[in-house]
Amino acid sequence: MSRIFVPDAAEMPRAADAVVVGGGIVGVATAFWLSRAGLDTVLVEMRDGLSTLTTPNSIECFRAQFTEPAMAELALPSIAIFENLAEVIGIPGYDVSLRHQGYLFVTDDPATVPDMKASVEQHRRVGVTDSEFLDHDELLRRFPYLSDRAVAATFRQNDGWLSSHEATQGFAKGSSARFLLQTRATGIGLDGQGVCGVETNRGTISTRTVVNAAGPFAGVVCRMAGVELPLEPVRRQKAFISPRPQIPQDAPLTIDVIQDVYWRPETGGAYIAWVDPDEPAGDPREDLPLDWDYPAVVLDKLVRLNPFWDEIAATLKGEEIHPSAGQYVYTPDDQPLIGPVPEVAGFYVNCGYWAGVMLSPEAGRRIARLVTGEMKPEENALRPTRYAEGIVYEGGSFLRGRH
């Protein structure tokens, strides 16, 4: 049975088979699968609770509409795990508020229609068989809230969203790992055999296996082990708009692929966001600043393909807008880094995500398979050595945030 606690000196573990650094959904899913593989697993989280930094600042969505084979290979089984999470974690009736309302990628530029058709064809090649290409008439028939200027879209009904907090807590509760809160990793111990421990503000945990799942702080943890990996944290903002009757609550996540702006319904209101391609990479931070005009910029962009937002924006009051921010972490090919770092034996990474919530279940399971030897490093297309090997797949999935 798992424990989630702030350890005192008597309770602080002195040794473990594996230590995971980072208590977001990626780290917690990793700890779940490591403990299920029979490893005595400890997770260290610097903050007061699990799932309190980057995870809750996502829009908590999942999709299989990827054109990159390695991403689809994680996304499809991850969705299946979310759909069956109660059974997977062994807690009957466990509810993560999963909603299959779909992802709708819309364009109003006729020049991009061939790209959208090609995306659906590529989905088929990577195993996503239920996405659709929608022409103008079919698009407006199904989604009448859209502007008539919308010309085409891709859509997959079985994409959607869930409570990322509840999913994280479910992985924690269903594991046998120990989750140490307010416990900050301060160093990675190394000896002639590789990793030998994790140093924290509460003491050192001896171990031969460390998994870096520290989200925006993954680069910091890598450097503790003397490793440099190409990881770039980038601020991403969103805003929750309080309930308004004009917001169609049965709508999918709706993305304007020309402007990289999107919205989805939520409890009578909506999340709105824009992935600014010019947002610079920065240092990892727990306290991210918010741009005061960000919600207005997003609303202005949304109106073009979603005209109902115009009426809402005209009467919206400040107290009805609730902004927040987290950080995506980008790699050179916009795909995560998963697996062992060969130059430091026992040091694994599970990081580099702009899609961490949706890929976390299968990514965590993959780490466990790599640690136990069930999967060989060369069988893992997302291994961190792929750049040095010259094995990089440049994908074309929409809404990556970079072009």
Side-chain angles (χ1 to χ4, degrees):
M1 185 175 180
S2 69
R3 284 191 68 198
I4 306 172
F5 64 109
V6 178
D8 58 23
E11 293 179 306
M12 182 67 186
R14 300 304 169 196
D17 294 333
V19 176
V20 179
V21 181
I25 192 169
V26 172
V28 175
T30 299
F32 170 83
W33 289 111
L34 287 169
S35 71
R36 282 296 178 94
L39 279 70
D40 176 24
T41 303
V42 171
L43 180 146
V44 296
E45 167 53 47
M46 63 184 179
R47 292 167 64 85
D48 295 339
L50 302 175
S51 181
T52 59
L53 182 60
T54 300
T55 302
N57 283 309
S58 74
I59 58 163
E60 305 180 292
C61 290
F62 58 86
R63 59 155 149 156
Q65 289 185 76
F66 285 103
T67 60
E68 302 87 352
M71 299 288 270
E73 195 175 70
L74 292 179
L76 287 166
S78 289
I79 293 171
I81 291 169
F82 283 139
E83 290 172 335
N84 300 283
L85 191 62
E87 180 181 346
V88 170
I89 64 178
I91 304 177
Y94 193 83
D95 184 13
V96 294
S97 302
L98 188 142
R99 304 288 296 271
H100 283 298
Q101 288 187 217
Y103 261 59
L104 182 70
F105 293 97
V106 187
T107 183
D108 62 347
D109 180 0
T112 62
V113 171
D115 291 337
M116 305 201 89
K117 290 181 177 178
S119 292
V120 173
E121 293 169 0
Q122 178 63 9
H123 294 162
R124 301 290 184 272
R125 286 190 283 270
V126 300
V128 181
T129 60
D130 54 350
S131 64
E132 305 174 72
F133 172 80
L134 305 179
D135 63 18
H136 172 272
D137 291 346
E138 181 65 12
L139 180 58
L140 271 294
R141 186 186 70 80
R142 293 202 206 179
F143 306 105
Y145 61 84
L146 291 171
S147 166
D148 188 60
R149 67 185 295 164
V151 296
T154 72
F155 178 65
R156 182 176 182 269
Q157 183 68 66
N158 285 326
D159 295 338
W161 53 87
L162 76 167
S163 167
S164 61
H165 176 76
E166 290 302 328
T168 306
Q169 296 297 320
F171 281 123
K173 293 173 183 176
S175 78
S176 58
R178 287 168 286 177
F179 298 87
L180 312 184
L181 306 179
Q182 298 178 19
T183 305
R184 182 182 296 268
T186 58
I188 305 294
L190 304 173
D191 63 14
Q193 298 178 53
V195 166
C196 64
V198 174
E199 301 159 9
T200 79
N201 60 319
R202 297 179 181 275
T204 298
I205 306 169
S206 296
T207 187
R208 288 295 180 187
T209 301
V210 172
V211 182
N212 176 3
F217 289 86
V220 175
V221 175
C222 279
R223 288 187 284 276
M224 293 177 187
V227 173
E228 286 288 342
L229 291 177
L231 298 165
E232 293 188 336
V234 177
R235 180 186 61 160
R236 294 300 180 206
Q237 301 178 74
K238 74 171 192 232
F240 174 69
I241 304 301
S242 294
R244 287 297 187 95
Q246 300 97 325
I247 301 172
Q249 292 299 298
D250 59 348
L253 174 67
T254 302
I255 305 106
D256 176 341
V257 301
I258 303 302
Q259 301 188 97
D260 269 350
V261 64
Y262 54 95
W263 71 276
R264 76 159 175 87
E266 173 68 18
T267 58
Y271 284 124
I272 65 171
W274 170 49
V275 179
D276 180 357
D278 297 320
E279 181 79 32
D283 294 327
R285 293 182 58 170
E286 292 185 68
D287 56 335
L288 289 163
L290 298 170
D291 293 337
W292 68 269
D293 60 343
Y294 177 81
V297 171
V298 178
L299 287 165
D300 183 62
K301 290 177 176 292
L302 282 174
V303 167
R304 191 169 88 180
L305 291 186
N306 306 267
F308 70 86
W309 280 109
D310 194 23
E311 180 185 351
I312 296 173
T315 58
L316 206 57
K317 300 176 181 177
E319 60 267 25
E320 296 177 301
I321 305 170
H322 311 275
S324 60
Q327 286 178 308
Y328 284 3
V329 182
Y330 289 105
T331 64
D333 58 0
D334 297 338
Q335 298 179 75
L337 304 179
I338 301 173
V341 178
E343 55 264 41
V344 182
F347 187 69
Y348 294 76
V349 291
N350 191 3
C351 58
Y353 287 94
W354 58 267
V357 169
M358 67 181 76
L359 303 180
S360 58
E362 183 63 15
R365 181 159 61 181
R366 181 171 297 186
I367 285 287
R369 294 178 65 211
L370 288 161
V371 168
T372 61
E374 182 183 343
M375 175 182 249
K376 297 177 181 178
E378 61 269 23
E379 296 171 340
N380 166 35
L382 294 172
R383 57 190 179 274
T385 58
R386 65 184 185 265
Y387 306 119
E389 297 172 39
I391 305 172
V392 179
Y393 181 91
E394 293 291 344
S397 289
F398 298 121
L399 203 67
R400 301 197 315 276
R402 302 204 301 189
H403 302 282

